[in-house]
């Protein structure tokens, strides 16, 4: 051997190697190997894998000499394999949490049935007929284990399970999965039929007053050596692993509580039983302590169950039901005592006992009720939001958007309540530094966000504010307020006069400012401003109210007016006029704009044109809100003025985009299309939010839908009318922001449907959008709505240009992905060429989430009905087969009938089916 080869061999031999995995048959050859294997820190295979391997080998069918498949033989090999599986489960102390997590339902069912068999439970005997008190302890425990697993499996099967994504299709694997699925369904069916017996068995177990024992590896070994022993050591009171009565009752109470809670969804009275069992479980856990080896209860889940039961079961014992803030909140919500909810939330700001998510869900529920028209809840919503915000502040979280929205218009009552919540949420005797800092920062930010000085002083003079902020911090806050507004003249002392003019004059100014805010009479506004300027020349009265808003494109010109009285008057007249226009008080808006126009005409041609533009916009609004709604065309002079604005090319005139957009929308809505094509810039026509003319909206939609569809990575194209008029490709595809295009399409459809919710083309687009984003139930809703609006709710035939083959195929896919397979088969008939392959494949599915055979009356294709008859005969489903035969036997489906009769029969079934679908998805 060369030196190089020797070095290579030495390097290879020095590498650590992974020990080979022990095979299942090795445990048959060496009796002691199993215990040695299970004592390893990380045995490979793991214990649960061994159970699967042992039972899989023991349940393999055999083939006789005639090549016929026979049941697994009851020979020594198979008995030893089953015993090995039981030993592994005994090593795991029969912990159902571990076994259920790792073993499938069929495997665990087989394992527990073997336990019943080896524990001398006669096969075929109903457990309810056996007296647990007189049975040997291991036999009684085996029965309890089986029935606990039974109801736990039923409860677990009621929870939705997210299906794993399938890998590459392999026929053998798919067949195996299908077999296991069918076997699991059959076992579950039996367990559900026996559920009431299982519950009675477990209820009986709660009356036992003796300790029980469960088989260990040792007792199972003794049974293997002497299988005839009945009253020997394996059945005595000291054999096996001891399970104390309290531990057994604790597990049984918890499992029964979960079963009763699951049944409560169909029978609310059962929630009382669930509540009793869960609270008994809590008592037993307290008695047993945390050192129990055999009682494994998820205490967090138990606490959730208890809280849910407190809510669902109105208890006659008020003290027990109100023992937790959670329960109290739900009682108050049910009774409509919302003020008490506010008090509970304030108290919770000291204890932090309620989860933040729960508090937020209460606010969302109340906000939803308020949005549905219960205006009395607006104040409560603010109070709840304020409580939640203070809780967030105390725990160092940011202020929510909801609080900023609800606090957008502060008033004295809101400020008072906010200060009350802050004061009651802080223990000033022993606050932590972080808590003090969070609260002080919050109060400072609130002050900085307030425009009204009166509200600022309410906070800065409050005891909590003075306690939390040092003198230096308060001085710094005053400096910040001064920099923000020249009008602010804050003092550090809580109560003081903050104007540098005599008190009587201050009162007069305040009264006049109040009148100025309220008045919409141009002449009165002018008189008030003259009086105010006569009293002081140092004030800018256009800043009196933070609600007076003038677009920035105008404010620069107005604030450039040198005369302060004229500047204030122009600004206020325009601001008030814009506000009146926004709230549709068009008469006062016209008076204010007319006065402002008269004033600026004297000194500013630029502002004169601005006011003419705004008065044009006001006239458009007035027409659209009045006679325009009834379809009356606008007067010719208004159309001429709109044309004049669109053709205007004056330099240096401040223009608002909204005026141009409204003018274009006005022309579009009144079908001045030829003029627009020749005169209007393209950017004003695209995505204009004021367009209401259906044809224009449809064409704009088709443009953006076409743009969305040219994307290469999109699988599901969206359809639209007139889409063929646009180019099929774009030269520079990378420059398109497809996310923005998708958002634009969604917003355009939403706006279009707000104009006309019965336009079938727009409804189809909405459905396609949901289809492309995998929201299949919503897509079906809009596909059905599109058909309903153009067929008098399906009393007439849906036009073929609405329910095209593409639409029907998408409806089929939606139903298929929603596991509504019978609906799929029926929809396959709607295609121009019936898709028998898809129909037959869907009918083969047994796990269908629709009405199944109740839909057979809607099938008019005899071939599909004949296939159904064959399929049910093959499965032995006699009742369903009879339903299919009855459907075939209807005379109107006879192939010898004239074509008109067959068409009428199909149309009648289409109508009934689509109406049934509409009731389901609308």
């Amino acid at each position: 051997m060369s030196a190089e080869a020797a070095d290579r061999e030495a390097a290879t031999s020095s590498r650590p190697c992974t020990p080979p995995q022990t095979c299942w048959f090795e445990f048959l050859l060496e009796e002691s190997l199993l215990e040695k294997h299970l004592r390893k820190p990380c045995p490979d295979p793991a214990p649960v894998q061994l159970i699967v391997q042992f039972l899989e080998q023991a349940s393999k069918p055999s083939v006789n000499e005639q090549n016929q498949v026979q049941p697994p033989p009851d020979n020594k090999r198979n008995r030893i394999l089953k015993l090995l599986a039981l030993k592994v489960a005994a090593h795991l102390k029969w912990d159902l949490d571990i076994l259920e997590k790792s073993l499938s339902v069929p495997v665990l069912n087989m394992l527990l049935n073997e336990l019943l068999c080896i524990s001398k439970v006669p096969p075929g005997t109903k457990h309810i007929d056996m007296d647990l008190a007189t049975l040997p302890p291991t036999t009684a425990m085996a029965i309890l284990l089986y029935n606990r697993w039974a109801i736990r499996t039923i409860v677990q099967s009621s929870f939705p399970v997210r299906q794993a994504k399938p890998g590459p299709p392999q026929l053998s694997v798919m067949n195996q999965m299908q077999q296991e699925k069918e076997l699991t369904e059959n076992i579950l069916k039996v367990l559900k039929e026996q559920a009431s017996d299982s519950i009675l068995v477990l209820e009986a177990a709660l009356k036992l007053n003796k300790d029980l024992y469960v088989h260990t590896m040792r007792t199972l070994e003794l049974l293997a050596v002497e299988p005839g022993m009945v009253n020997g050591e394996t059945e005595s009171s000291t054999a096996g692993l001891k399970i104390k009565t309290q531990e057994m009752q604790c597990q049984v109470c918890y499992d029964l509580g979960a079963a009763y809670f699951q049944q409560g969804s169909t029978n609310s009275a059962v929630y009382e039983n669930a509540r009793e069992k869960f609270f008994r479980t809590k008592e037993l856990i307290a008695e047993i302590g945390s050192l129990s080896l055999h009682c494994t209860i998820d205490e967090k889940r138990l606490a959730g169950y208890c809280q849910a039961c407190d809510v669902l079961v109105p208890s006659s014992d008020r003290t027990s039901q109100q023992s937790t803030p959670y329960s109290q909140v739900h009682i108050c919500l049910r009774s409509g005592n919302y003020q008490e909810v506010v008090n509970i939330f304030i108290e919770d700001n000291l204890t932090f006992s309620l989860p933040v998510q729960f508090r937020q869900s209460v606010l969302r529920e109340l906000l939803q009720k308020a949005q549905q028209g219960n205006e009395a809840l607006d104040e409560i919503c603010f109070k709840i939001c304020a409580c939640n915000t203070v809780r967030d502040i105390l725990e160092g979280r940011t202020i929510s958007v909801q609080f900023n929205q609800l606090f957008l218009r502060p008033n004295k009552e809101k400020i008072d309540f906010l200060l009350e919540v802050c004061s009651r949420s802080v223990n000033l005797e022993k606050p932590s530094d972080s808590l003090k800092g969070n609260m002080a920062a919050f109060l400072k930010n609130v002050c900085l966000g307030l425009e009204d000085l009166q509200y600022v002083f309410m906070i800065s003079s409050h005891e909590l504010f003075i306690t939390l902020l040092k003198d230096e911090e308060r001085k710094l806050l005053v400096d910040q307020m001064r920099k923000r507004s020249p009008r602010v003249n804050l003092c550090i002392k809580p109560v003081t006069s903050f104007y540098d003019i005599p008190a009587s004059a201050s009162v007069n100014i305040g009264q006049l400012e109040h009148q100025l805010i309220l008045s919409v009479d141009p002449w009165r506004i002018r008189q008030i401003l003259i009086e105010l300027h006569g009293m002081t020349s140092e004030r800018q009265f256009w800043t009196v109210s933070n609600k007076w808003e003038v677009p920035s494109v105008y404010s620069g010109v107005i604030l450039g007016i040198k005369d302060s009285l004229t500047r204030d008057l122009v600004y206020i007249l325009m601001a008030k006029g814009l506000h009146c226009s926004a709230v549709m008080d068009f008469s006062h808006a016209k008076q204010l704009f007319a006065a402002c126009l008269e004033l600026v005409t004297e000194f500013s041609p630029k502002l004169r044109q601005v006011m003419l533009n705004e008065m044009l916009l006001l006239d458009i609004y007035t027409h659209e809100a009045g006679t325009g709604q009834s379809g009356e065309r606008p007067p010719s002079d208004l159309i001429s003025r709109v044309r004049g604005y669109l053709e205007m090319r004056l330099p240096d005139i401040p223009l608002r985009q909204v005026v141009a957009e409204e003018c274009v929308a006005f022309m579009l809505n009144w079908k001045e299309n030829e003029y627009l094509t020749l005169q209007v810039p393209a950017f004003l026509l695209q995505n204009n939010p004021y367009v209401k003319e259906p044809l224009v909206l449809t064409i704009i939609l088709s443009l953006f839908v076409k743009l969305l569809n040219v994307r290469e990575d999109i699988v599901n194209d969206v359809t639209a009318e007139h889409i063929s008029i646009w180019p099929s490709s774009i030269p520079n595809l990378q420059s398109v922001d497809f996310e923005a295009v998708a958002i634009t399409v969604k917003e355009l459809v939403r706006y279009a449907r707000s104009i006309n919710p019965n336009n079938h083309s727009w409804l189809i687009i909405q459905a396609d959008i949901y289809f492309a984003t995998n929201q299949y139930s919503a897509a079906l809703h809009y596909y059905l709505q599109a058909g309903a609006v153009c067929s008098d709710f399906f009393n007439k035939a849906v036009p073929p240009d609405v329910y095209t083959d593409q639409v029907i195929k998408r409806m089929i896919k939606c139903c298929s992905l929603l596991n509504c397979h019978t609906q799929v088969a029926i929809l396959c008939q709607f295609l121009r060429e019936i898709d028998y392959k898809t129909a037959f494949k869907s009918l083969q599915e047994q796990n269908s989430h629709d009405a199944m055979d109740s839909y057979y009356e809607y099938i008019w294709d005899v071939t599909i009905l004949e296939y159904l008859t064959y399929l049910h005969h093959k499965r032995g489903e006699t009742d369903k087969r009879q339903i299919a035969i009855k459907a075939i036997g209807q005379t109107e489906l006879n192939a010898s009938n004239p074509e008109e009769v067959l068409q009428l029969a199909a149309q009648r079934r289409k109508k009934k089916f689509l109406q049934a679908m509409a009731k389901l998805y609308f």
Side-chain angles (χ1 to χ4, degrees), residues 32-43:
S32 61
L33 180 59
L34 182 62
E35 289 192 44
K36 293 177 184 177
H37 180 78
L38 295 175
R39 280 198 295 267
K40 293 178 183 179
C42 295

Side-chain angles (χ1 to χ4, degrees), residues 11 38 110 140 309 312 421 441 647 834 846:
L38 295 175
M110 185 178 177
C309 288
L312 294 167
V421 176
E647 296 169 9
I834 298 177
Q846 292 183 285

